Amino acid sequence: MSALVELDRLGKVYSTRTGDVTALSEVTLRIEDGEFVAVVGPSGCGKTTLLKILANLEQHTSGVGILGNNELGANRSDDVGMVFQKATLLPWLDILSNVLLPVTLKRRASAADKENAMDLLRMVGLGEFATKRPHELSGGMQQRAAICRALVHEPSLLLMDEPFGALDAMTRDVLNVEVNRIWRDTHKTAVLITHSIPEAVFLAQRVIVMSPRPGRIVDEITVPFGPERTLELMGTPEFGSLCAQIRRHFEVSAA
Ligand SMILES: Nc1ncnc2c1ncn2[C@@H]1O[C@H](COP(=O)(O)OP(=O)(O)O)[C@@H](O)[C@H]1O
Ligand SMILES: [Mg+2]
């Protein structure tokens, strides 16, 4: 297997008016091409910072990071797609135009781009909604469209920052099954940040546990289940004990 991401003792210090804030400390992590990794950790431990560095939206301040053939921080990368907690669709554009945005910000969308966007929308069950405006869609549907937007320029790395945190539990379950299917269909490398330990275990092949700020990696748990995940899996004793093993980290740090 070849690595898509390699971080070597990566650190990030934010310089603020009131002093320096160390957000990440000595993060060493290798992510294989096609792997699905979830990151869990207490609020403020630097998870979003880590994703922003991977997306080249923030620069690390120590260590080295490689994405594909490029060093992180060298230049803006088009090779990532990002999904945030809020769908952040533009209200005046229809769903198809929203999905095409990463393309149209750079050039005129071709017929092939539009076909690709439609394929993605159909893949998440939104084929009929391409000409609707965002407000005509439910929160879960908007988030599906945001996933299509993150994939439309065919990045090799899909980054998701608590993408379903604002959704109700049932919609979240449905979308988790969907993300698992998208990952299997598209063979993307995926990094998911989540507050939900079951969500991390359900989707990932490996769960990275981070310490309170400054975020360091304190554990890595290999999830032994096959690539296809179904909701029944969540009811199994193996699933429960894996979640319990991860949760123990937070009980200790909260004491
Ligand atoms: N732009 C910024 N400037 C200064 N400090 C920041 C900035 N962004 C995040 N931080 C600080 O860095 C730490 C990690 O933040 P973040 O990566 O958002 O954590 P998480 O996503 O795990 O909740 C926090 O203490 C936060 O206040
Ligand atoms: Mg965050």
Side-chain angles (χ1 to χ4, degrees), residues 85 138-141 143-144 162-176 196 199 231 234:
Q85 184 166 349
S138 69
M141 290 158 86
Q143 205 54 313
R144 285 189 163 102
E162 304 189 24
F164 310 131
L167 301 176
D168 64 87
M170 268 154 76
T171 307
R172 195 168 178 150
D173 280 354
V174 172
L175 279 174
N176 280 335
S196 162
E199 183 169 274
L231 289 176
M234 290 203 190

Side-chain angles (χ1 to χ4, degrees), residues 44 47-49 161-162 193:
K47 303 182 295 296
T48 296
T49 300
D161 193 355
E162 304 189 24
I193 285 175

Side-chain angles (χ1 to χ4, degrees), residues 41-81:
S43 191
C45 78
K47 303 182 295 296
T48 296
T49 300
L50 180 62
L51 276 205
K52 283 183 175 166
I53 291 171
L54 287 172
N56 261 314
L57 297 169
E58 278 294 349
Q59 312 265 307
H60 53 287
T61 49
S62 59
V64 183
I66 308 260
L67 168 59
N69 297 319
N70 297 311
E71 204 163 304
L72 289 173
N75 41 35
R76 277 292 291 275
S77 169
D78 284 337
D79 212 21
V80 298

Side-chain angles (χ1 to χ4, degrees), residues 16-225:
T16 72
R17 270 172 301 147
T18 48
D20 287 352
V21 177
T22 305
L24 291 174
S25 171
E26 306 245 328
V27 171
T28 296
L29 177 63
R30 182 186 154 101
I31 301 175
E32 305 298 334
D33 203 1
E35 195 180 9
F36 198 126
V37 169
V39 180
V40 296
S43 191
C45 78
K47 303 182 295 296
T48 296
T49 300
L50 180 62
L51 276 205
K52 283 183 175 166
I53 291 171
L54 287 172
N56 261 314
L57 297 169
E58 278 294 349
Q59 312 265 307
H60 53 287
T61 49
S62 59
V64 183
I66 308 260
L67 168 59
N69 297 319
N70 297 311
E71 204 163 304
L72 289 173
N75 41 35
R76 277 292 291 275
S77 169
D78 284 337
D79 212 21
V80 298
M82 189 120 165
V83 181
F84 302 94
Q85 184 166 349
K86 286 197 182 137
T88 59
L89 301 172
L90 298 178
W92 60 89
L93 293 179
D94 67 18
I95 295 302
L96 179 61
S97 306
N98 265 290
V99 169
L100 281 167
L101 206 59
V103 174
T104 49
L105 284 173
K106 282 185 298 189
R107 57 179 167 82
R108 207 184 147 96
S110 66
D113 292 324
K114 287 180 191 160
E115 200 37 54
N116 181 30
M118 280 307 302
D119 282 347
L120 287 166
L121 284 170
R122 281 190 285 265
M123 178 176 73
V124 300
L126 290 181
E128 312 285 298
F129 293 84
T131 57
K132 302 274 189 217
R133 296 287 165 90
H135 74 268
E136 297 176 89
L137 273 61
S138 69
M141 290 158 86
Q142 291 187 24
Q143 205 54 313
R144 285 189 163 102
I147 294 170
C148 296
R149 182 184 55 194
L151 293 171
V152 76
H153 57 300
E154 304 192 338
S156 37
L157 183 61
L158 175 63
L159 304 172
M160 293 172 278
D161 193 355
E162 304 189 24
F164 310 131
L167 301 176
D168 64 87
M170 268 154 76
T171 307
R172 195 168 178 150
D173 280 354
V174 172
L175 279 174
N176 280 335
V177 172
E178 199 112 301
V179 166
N180 174 249
R181 191 169 53 79
I182 292 169
W183 171 66
R184 287 184 287 113
D185 285 355
T186 61
H187 308 286
K188 295 287 171 211
T189 309
V191 181
L192 168 78
I193 285 175
T194 175
H195 270 123
S196 162
I197 292 172
E199 183 169 274
V201 173
F202 181 76
L203 283 171
Q205 296 174 297
R206 191 155 52 109
V207 179
I208 309 289
V209 181
M210 289 178 66
S211 68
R213 188 174 68 81
R216 288 173 300 107
I217 294 177
V218 290
D219 201 5
E220 288 192 23
I221 294 100
T222 299
V223 180
F225 312 126

